[in-house]
Amino acid sequence: GTDGTYDYIVVGGGTSGLVVAKRLSEDPKVSVLVVEAGGSLENNANVTNPLGYGLAFGTDIDYAYQTVEQEFAGGKPQTLRAGKGLGGTSTINGLAYTRAESNQIDMWEKLGNEGWNWNNLLPYYTKSERLEVPNPQRLESGKMTFDAAVHGKEGPLKTGWLFGITNSTLGATLNTTFASMGVEWNPEVNGGKMAGYTVYPSTVDQDLNIREDAARAYYFPIRDSAKNLKVMLNTEARRLTWKAAAAANGTKGALPTADGVEVTTQDGKTMVMKANKEVILSAGALVSPLLLEKSGVGNKAILAAAGIQSVVDLPTVGENLQDQANNGLKFGIANNFTETDKNAYVAYPTAEQVFGKDKQVASVNGNVTKAADLEKFFTMQYDLIFGADQPNPIAEVLLYQQDGVWDSEYWGLLPFSRGNLHVTAANTSTTKATGAKINPNFFMLDWDTTQQVGAANFIRRMYGTAPFKDVVGPEDTPSTKTVPADADNNEKAMGDWLKQNYRSNFHPVGTAAMMPREVGGVVDSSLKVYGTANVRVVDASVLPFQVCGHLVSTLYAVSERASDLIKASAK
Ligand code: FDA
């Protein structure tokens, strides 16, 4: 690999890319190059501090991509955060380690992705993980429980519980409160059933008390020993290069074969790194589809408008973007309450718990598109929410004290809105906030507002429920003045307020979705891009649907499984 030629080039040394790089380089005969736009964040205190959530926002390691004005949500653009540096977005995220509902992963297989189901993915969740069990005293005082059978003991990624959980009564108070609202204690949020109330684990190295990001888990331990793995930092991938025959587009029989990646190094030099076997795009859900487009893979008309020559006409590249909307409700703290627990209490209520048993939930309004395939997806997602077997939670509700108030940040977990992102010109930098036109279409469909309003009112009820209500002062934000509680006025006022005050939940997925090509997929079940011989996508882009858990646990598992698929196909 010293001459600039490698077997595999992984574009993006982030959460997913570093898993693939480590696993492929386990074979000493194979050479691997990682091209990463950012630098090493090993000693960046905004990254390492496990209680430093938010410190990195707006700094040079936050891409802070801007969306277009959100026409269904008050007209304002949104900022989409993503991490720039080795470890990617796992270096700036909130450290939560929660997986998915098992039937959500099973749905991937029902969509046509053979082999992608919960039972097959669980061994990869555990392969990636090393749960560090806190001592019994900490477990007991923090009310932290788990089932060892679903956790890994020897994987690269350390998980555990943050030290912010003190010896307090708050956990027990919330447990009783949620139980009286029908949201029962869930002793293991990572075993495929998420609904309930729990104290979730985090990606943290408890011994060192520092953030466990992808670089710390998957790269730093092998950087000296893995001689066949090279990482180019501060180097931006611009586009793929193709074997000459493919560039002509139309050579009978042979699919276009990528033979390298054009990069711009820190000092502004442009060169091509060569790949013998495969190129794996792991630049994240907001970038990998753009790199495909810049390389000629995408919607012909969009490419033509951007001045890019078509190599594979694949119109769904960059479509199917799904994010969640995040809002916050704040309440005063009754002045006799001084405990400062942080960062781990979470409730996952179902639709029935949010809306009540008797209330008929308005069915989803599919007026934006009539496409039969989209209707099929909506039906599948509808079944996850309202199905009797295993109703998925529809909201994640956090609770902590901050700046002298109780803060309940929350988000609707399963929105139906679909957006997209596309390149605007052949030569733009995809690492710049202006490099693409990004439109998540927040609140495009009625259900998304219904779910968000329902969860807000659920939170209001929670603050008014004993025993928790005894340590709660008056509502601070939005306040019942701004959003009245009475049924006649609440729904519209709450919906309007939420749309003025939401932010992205920073969970974009789906922009190079793993689905059959006929129903709009971009990659097949081996994560190979349709119409290409040797290009794969392994990152949040490939998730066909949103999951109820936070994303990294599932991305580590998907990347572990992807690595095995790539290894198997090389044999
Ligand atoms: P990721 O972004 O990790 O990797 C992409 C890499 O590609 C980056 O290193 C980037 O620099 C690089 N790159 C981009 N363009 C390039 C180019 N042109 N050339 C070369 N390299 C390029 N999840 C969770 O599980 N728990 C949580 O608590 C949270 N909280 C949270 C908070 C915030 C603020 C954010 C932004 C996100 C979260 N998430 C989260 C989400 C989660 O962190 C996120 O979904 C994953 O880390 C994404 O992993 P990927 O591998 O898809 O991309």
Side-chain angles (χ1 to χ4, degrees):
T2 45
D3 60 349
T5 303
Y6 297 82
D7 293 320
Y8 297 96
I9 299 181
V10 178
V11 175
T15 314
S16 310
L18 290 179
V19 177
V20 176
K22 173 189 159 78
R23 293 306 183 191
L24 293 181
S25 67
E26 284 172 347
D27 178 350
K29 294 192 293 296
V30 160
S31 60
V32 180
L33 172 69
V34 173
V35 177
E36 166 54 42
S40 171
L41 308 177
E42 194 171 8
N43 300 309
N44 184 323
N46 292 340
V47 170
T48 53
N49 177 357
L51 296 178
Y53 183 64
L55 292 177
F57 296 177
T59 71
D60 61 357
I61 67 164
D62 171 15
Y63 286 110
Y65 300 111
Q66 298 299 304
T67 73
V68 299
E69 292 171 356
Q70 291 301 285
E71 68 167 304
F72 305 103
K76 282 183 294 199
Q78 286 286 324
T79 297
L80 305 184
R81 304 197 185 282
K84 181 180 188 181
L86 207 57
T89 304
S90 72
T91 65
I92 67 165
N93 77 8
L95 286 82
Y97 184 86
T98 64
R99 294 172 181 169
E101 287 274 340
S102 58
N103 60 353
Q104 295 183 320
I105 306 297
D106 289 342
M107 206 167 77
W108 297 359
E109 185 156 61
K110 287 189 187 142
L111 264 176
N113 299 304
E114 207 193 318
W116 289 94
N117 56 52
W118 175 260
N119 285 341
N120 283 350
L121 200 59
L122 184 57
Y124 288 104
Y125 279 110
T126 58
K127 181 179 185 184
S128 69
E129 189 195 13
R130 178 186 304 241
L131 176 69
E132 297 186 318
V133 179
N135 67 41
Q137 213 182 342
R138 268 191 77 210
L139 279 176
E140 170 58 27
S141 64
K143 296 276 169 286
M144 305 175 290
T145 60
F146 64 95
D147 171 7
V150 299
H151 287 280
K153 293 182 201 64
E154 286 160 17
L157 180 79
K158 291 175 183 164
T159 62
W161 280 268
L162 295 174
F163 285 98
I165 304 164
T166 56
N167 186 7
S168 82
T169 56
L170 181 56
T173 301
L174 290 173
N175 198 3
T176 314
T177 303
F178 280 120
S180 82
M181 299 176 76
V183 183
E184 300 286 342
W185 174 249
N186 181 348
E188 176 52 88
V189 73
N190 285 312
K193 304 272 189 299
M194 299 188 64
Y197 161 67
T198 200
V199 182
Y200 64 74
S202 292
T203 47
V204 63
D205 182 325
Q206 293 172 110
D207 290 339
L208 301 177
N209 197 27
I210 56 178
R211 169 193 298 269
E212 180 80 347
D213 58 53
R216 212 164 278 282
Y218 276 87
Y219 178 65
F220 296 154
I222 59 161
R223 74 181 136 188
D224 295 329
S225 57
K227 306 281 182 221
N228 54 339
L229 170 59
K230 177 162 180 193
V231 174
M232 286 176 87
L233 294 175
N234 302 303
T235 302
E236 179 186 340
R238 309 289 298 200
R239 60 184 191 94
L240 309 187
T241 58
W242 303 97
K243 272 201 178 136
N249 190 26
T251 319
K252 287 257 153 38
L255 290 174
T257 304
D259 64 359
V261 179
E262 185 185 302
V263 303
T264 309
T265 59
Q266 189 164 22
D267 49 16
K269 243 176 67 188
T270 297
M271 55 186 178
V272 175
M273 310 307 292
K274 288 282 181 187
N276 288 327
K277 290 198 162 91
E278 294 196 10
V279 176
I280 295 124
L281 296 177
S282 299
L286 301 173
V287 178
S288 287
L290 303 177
L291 290 172
L292 284 175
E293 290 185 336
K294 288 183 41 150
S295 312
V297 181
N299 183 326
K300 236 181 181 157
I302 289 172
L303 299 199
I308 299 166
Q309 203 202 327
S310 173
V311 176
V312 178
D313 188 20
L314 194 58
T316 44
V317 171
E319 295 296 323
N320 203 38
L321 169 61
Q322 299 161 59
D323 196 358
Q324 298 154 327
N326 180 304
N327 280 105
L329 268 65
K330 297 185 172 115
F331 285 74
I333 298 172
N335 51 16
N336 62 350
F337 194 83
T338 54
E339 292 167 2
T340 55
D341 293 35
K342 216 179 160 170
N343 262 343
Y345 299 117
V346 66
Y348 287 107
T350 63
E352 185 178 309
Q353 289 156 359
V354 166
F355 296 109
K357 240 196 185 81
D358 307 326
K359 193 172 172 215
Q360 194 61 24
V361 177
S363 66
V364 179
N365 175 351
N367 60 352
V368 170
T369 172
K370 298 270 186 284
D373 292 326
L374 212 42
E375 278 175 27
K376 181 176 139 197
F377 305 153
F378 286 175
T379 306
M380 291 173 96
Q381 185 164 323
Y382 183 93
D383 287 344
L384 290 179
I385 296 171
F386 298 109
D389 302 348
Q390 188 179 328
N392 290 178
I394 61 161
E396 171 164 333
V397 179
L398 300 174
L399 188 138
Y400 46 86
Q401 294 178 50
Q402 190 158 279
D403 305 327
V405 291
W406 289 113
D407 205 330
S408 278
E409 197 181 302
Y410 81 97
W411 52 97
L413 289 168
L414 295 170
F416 284 81
S417 298
R418 297 288 192 277
N420 54 40
L421 76 172
H422 293 291
V423 285
T424 51
N427 278 328
T428 50
S429 164
T430 55
T431 66
K432 299 281 181 323
T434 51
K437 190 168 171 231
I438 307 177
N439 184 8
N441 272 327
F442 287 110
F443 296 105
M444 178 177 82
L445 297 178
D446 291 350
W447 163 256
D448 301 355
T449 307
T450 305
Q451 136 181 286
Q452 202 79 351
V453 169
N457 289 324
F458 171 88
I459 291 169
R460 277 185 161 174
R461 288 205 303 282
M462 167 187 99
Y463 277 94
T465 301
F468 183 49
K469 73 170 187 199
D470 297 339
V471 294
V472 173
E475 181 172 322
D476 175 282
T477 311
S479 87
T480 45
K481 227 194 201 142
T482 308
V483 179
D486 67 285
D488 286 350
N489 298 307
N490 169 268
E491 195 160 333
K492 164 105 178 53
M494 186 67 92
D496 289 348
W497 183 80
L498 293 172
K499 287 176 196 172
Q500 286 301 323
N501 293 284
Y502 78 105
R503 64 165 172 80
S504 161
N505 196 45
F506 313 135
H507 286 183
V509 301
T511 50
M514 175 175 66
M515 301 195 283
R517 190 171 185 172
E518 315 82 75
V519 299
V522 171
V523 299
D524 66 18
S525 58
S526 70
L527 305 183
K528 197 173 279 180
V529 177
Y530 289 115
T532 74
N534 66 338
V535 179
R536 298 195 210 229
V537 181
V538 183
D539 61 24
S541 315
V542 303
L543 269 52
F545 285 96
Q546 199 55 259
V547 290
C548 287
H550 292 244
L551 294 176
V552 298
S553 51
T554 297
L555 294 176
Y556 285 123
V558 165
S559 306
E560 289 280 11
R561 186 161 193 270
S563 303
D564 274 0
L565 293 172
I566 296 169
K567 283 178 176 177
S569 82
K571 291 227 169 80

